[in-house]
Structures are given as structure tokens and as C-alpha cells.
Amino acid sequence: IHQVFEEQAKKTPNNIAIVYEDKNLTYKQLNEKSNALAHYLLSKKVKPGDLIAIYVNRSLEMIIGLLGILKSGAAYVSIDPSYPKNRIEYILSDSKASLALTQEELKDTLPQSNSEIVCIDTLDLGSQSTKKPLSNVNSSNLAYVIYTSGTTGTPKGVLIGHDNVNRLFKATNTKFDFNENDVWTQFHSFAFDFSVWEIWGALFYGGKLVIVSYLTSRSSEEFHDLLIKEKVTVLNQTPSAFKQIIQIDKNKENPLSSLRYVIFGGEKLEMEILSPWYDKYQSDTPLIINMYGITETTVHVTHKVLSKEDVQKPESTLGSLLPDLSGYILDKNNTLVPKGVAGELHISGDGLARGYLNKEELTKEKFI
């Protein structure tokens, strides 16, 4: 992941890579700051396969932290500070993270654990080298662990490798034409796998990533204003969140004219919510795309381009599988069902996670 970013940083060193409120970093600056952090982590004897928790608020430091961890060879475990205390404690305990990267303002809210606490915003990175670190990491190594919600039981840490993420963007290359002129938002929590698509989608192609503050993410009015101000071109939303944007936008004189793509994910799409949107915008400007997937399949599994006609004739919004994935409808005995018979969707292919952290039996059950 970080090597793809580094190649892009060579191509567009002076392009703005990330923005948070009134602060920003170019690709060159982000690369050098994350290199410095990686050198610090390597001085702590971090090695490929190690897990490092990252417990930070939305900020430039968040992206520096993710990249620095990956450059050190370790994998990141995202922990949202807004999580309930018992969930934070559980993730720290279950992951057995050797280090926890945080910020000074959050340090005292981090539960007791065996993880060494490092405040990224007060760390003297100026004393570290900004040259590319040598970590012996490769595409088969672990990149991140994101924990499921736990709505169906205990939260599970999903193990995703560098190769899982890189093939996601290769598999979707023919579906999109992302480029260095695109402006993306990171609207979602970095502990929700939709953020993987938002963050690396921007940084893999030389685009600008606008990190949406927590308060702005909770105000559809302010978020709509931000989309106009930053001239956002790629917007990733759950349908329920976009429904609020539609309601605000229909009464606005300034349309979201910069948008090229609105990409749905994270929950089921009810097509009727798009009716007022298509009353204002053409079907292909911006292009609205529905994508389905779960954390265990590396964000996205299917892809469907939507149009105004889909509102009048609503059918399945799942669309077709990404080219490196296969899907099967199976019964409770994992046997293919006949056409037209209900069953469960099973996914196979290069997007599949390695399994669940510290849950070998469940991994064997689910990853057959």
C-alpha cells in the first residue's frame, strides 16, 4: 500500500495530498513525515506482522500515522476515540498491540493495557530520517485489522493484507477513471472499512483527500457546504447519509456541480430516495454507483451504475461482481441451490481476508 503511495508521491510531489480544516500537506511532506514516523517505529524494533493500535481524532496525524505504521512493516489496528470504553478495552486486549499511537489530548482517555503509548503529535520526528525506511515488508504481509461491529456476537478483528487492498483498486480500475484532479472526502471513521476505499482511493491516484471533521460529519448542512467549498469530485456515502444531502441540496441554488461520482456502500440502498436527486441532476452527471461488500471481503464485492430508470423499475441493486471475485448462492450445508431458490451469498477470490484475529475455529467455519 505505502509503496503505491510512494510512487505517486514521486509523480506529484507538490500536489496537496491531505486537508484538514485550515491545514494541509503535499505528497512530498506527507511522505517525509510518515517516513520519519516509520524510522521511529523501527527504532522500537517493530517488524512485519506486529500490530500497532492507532487511537487518534480526525487530523493530519491520522494519515501520517497509518502510513508510518505501514512503512515500518507493521499493521494498523484502527480504534475510534468515540467508541464506548468497553469496546476500546476489548480491541486493545484482543489485538495485543505492542504500541498505541495516540494524541496528547487523548492520552488520558486510553484504557490501561500492555501497549506502549506514543503521542504522535508531540513526538520529535525532526530528529528522524525522512528517507525511505527499509522494513522488509511485502504484499503478503498484514496491512490492517478492523474490528466488526459485534452485532452478531463478539467483535471480530478482520485480517487484511497489502495484496487485498492493492487488488481492490486494480479490480476497479476499469470501472472508474480516478486521477490526480479528483478531490475525495474521508467522511467515515477510519475504523470503518469504507474509509479504506476513501483514503487509499485518493492517495493511490494523486488526488486530494479532505478529512471531514467529526462535527461536520454530523451536520448534513455543514457537510454540503464543505462539498461545494472543496469542489469534491468523488463522494462515498451510505444511502441514509446521502438521503440527508439530497434533502438539503434540493433547496440550494449552488448545485454540487463538481461531483463526478457518488458511490454507495455500507447498507442497503432503497432506490426511491434518489427520485428528487434525479429530478435535479442528469443520470450521468454525476454518476451514481452502488457497491456492496463487507470488511471480510476488503470493502467492495459488487458494482452497479444506476440511472433514473432504476427508480421507476427497481430491481436488485447489487450489480455484478468485481472481476477477481466469484459468488455462490449456497444452502446451510454449503451446497449450491437451484436457480430461483433462496440461500446465502458466499464470496471467493482475491479480496477475501486472511480470517479473524485469535479466532481460528470461527475462521475455519466462515472461510471454508
Side-chain angles (χ1 to χ4, degrees):
I1 293 172
H2 55 282
Q3 289 171 350
V4 177
F5 165 77
E6 287 165 353
E7 287 301 312
Q8 187 58 54
K10 288 180 184 177
K11 295 176 186 175
T12 56
N14 298 319
N15 281 19
I16 299 297
I18 53 176
V19 174
Y20 180 69
E21 296 184 335
D22 60 344
K23 300 176 183 177
N24 63 66
L25 291 174
T26 64
Y27 273 80
K28 183 175 186 289
Q29 290 169 329
L30 177 56
N31 193 42
E32 289 180 346
K33 285 180 179 295
S34 56
N35 281 348
L37 177 59
H39 281 290
Y40 172 81
L41 295 174
L42 287 167
S43 74
K44 294 292 207 176
K45 309 302 181 186
V46 166
K47 59 186 184 301
D50 286 353
L51 299 181
I52 296 180
I54 177 164
Y55 175 80
V56 295
N57 286 321
R58 299 175 186 224
S59 58
L60 302 184
E61 286 81 14
M62 177 177 63
I63 308 300
I64 295 168
L66 297 180
L67 266 170
I69 292 169
L70 294 176
K71 285 169 176 278
S72 76
Y76 63 83
V77 182
S78 307
I79 306 178
D80 194 316
S82 67
Y83 278 165
K85 184 179 179 181
N86 62 344
R87 179 174 171 87
I88 297 170
E89 289 175 339
Y90 173 79
I91 294 174
L92 284 172
S93 173
D94 186 64
S95 67
K96 298 179 176 62
S98 58
L99 282 168
L101 281 184
T102 188
Q103 293 160 310
E104 190 68 30
E105 64 182 355
L106 293 173
K107 183 174 64 175
D108 294 337
T109 69
L110 197 60
Q112 288 289 327
S113 72
N114 292 323
S115 305
E116 180 182 350
I117 297 174
V118 175
C119 292
I120 187 173
D121 53 339
T122 58
L123 199 60
D124 180 19
L125 292 179
S127 62
Q128 301 292 329
S129 170
T130 58
K131 292 183 179 179
K132 180 178 178 178
L134 299 175
S135 63
N136 298 318
V137 68
N138 59 56
S139 62
S140 66
N141 287 120
L142 199 62
Y144 65 80
V145 177
I146 285 182
Y147 277 76
T148 61
S149 63
T151 52
T152 58
T154 307
K156 301 176 287 290
V158 180
L159 303 166
I160 300 290
H162 286 261
D163 49 0
N164 292 122
V165 176
N166 290 337
R167 50 68 38 196
L168 170 65
F169 291 99
K170 288 178 182 176
T172 53
N173 254 343
T174 57
K175 311 287 186 183
F176 302 95
D177 59 342
F178 300 139
N179 59 65
E180 64 183 63
N181 297 315
D182 278 320
V183 180
W184 298 59
T185 57
Q186 190 207 326
F187 176 85
H188 300 91
S189 164
F190 77 138
F192 176 37
D193 75 319
F194 211 171
S195 70
V196 172
W197 174 256
E198 293 177 304
I199 294 168
W200 306 117
L203 299 182
F204 274 17
Y205 294 94
K208 180 167 72 173
L209 179 66
V210 179
I211 302 165
V212 182
S213 73
Y214 180 80
L215 291 178
T216 300
S217 73
R218 292 298 180 268
S219 168
S220 298
E221 185 84 35
E222 289 184 19
F223 184 51
H224 186 278
D225 290 343
L226 181 69
L227 295 176
I228 294 174
K229 175 188 173 186
E230 294 290 350
K231 296 181 172 58
V232 171
T233 64
V234 182
L235 175 62
N236 300 277
Q237 291 277 273
T238 59
S240 57
F242 191 66
K243 183 179 180 180
Q244 304 304 313
I245 294 295
I246 292 173
Q247 295 305 311
I248 290 168
D249 185 70
K250 71 179 183 180
N251 298 318
K252 293 279 188 178
E253 292 184 7
N254 294 327
L256 296 171
S257 55
S258 296
L259 281 179
R260 298 203 304 130
Y261 296 112
V262 176
I263 303 168
F264 291 138
E267 63 188 34
K268 183 180 178 181
L269 169 64
E270 302 292 347
M271 282 300 300
E272 59 267 21
I273 72 166
L274 295 178
S275 185
W277 177 266
Y278 283 129
D279 288 342
K280 184 172 182 178
Y281 297 92
Q282 298 178 21
S283 289
D284 58 351
T285 311
L287 212 57
I288 297 187
I289 296 169
N290 191 48
M291 301 188 80
Y292 159 80
I294 56 175
T295 310
E296 290 90 335
T297 56
T298 317
V299 191
H300 295 311
V301 168
T302 65
H303 171 280
K304 182 173 183 175
V305 177
L306 303 174
S307 68
K308 189 171 185 177
E309 287 68 37
D310 292 311
V311 178
Q312 277 79 44
K313 299 178 181 179
E315 297 177 356
S316 171
T317 56
L318 283 186
S320 58
L321 290 154
L322 297 184
D324 62 347
L325 300 175
S326 298
Y328 308 88
I329 308 298
L330 307 180
D331 62 19
K332 62 182 179 181
N333 297 314
N334 293 328
T335 302
L336 282 169
V337 301
K339 186 175 181 179
V341 176
E344 287 190 331
L345 176 61
H346 287 61
I347 303 299
S348 70
D350 294 340
L352 219 59
R354 289 42 179 338
Y356 299 115
L357 181 65
N358 301 326
K359 288 181 171 54
E360 291 183 10
E361 290 305 312
L362 186 59
T363 296
K364 289 176 183 177
E365 176 189 336
K366 294 291 184 183
F367 294 81
I368 57 176

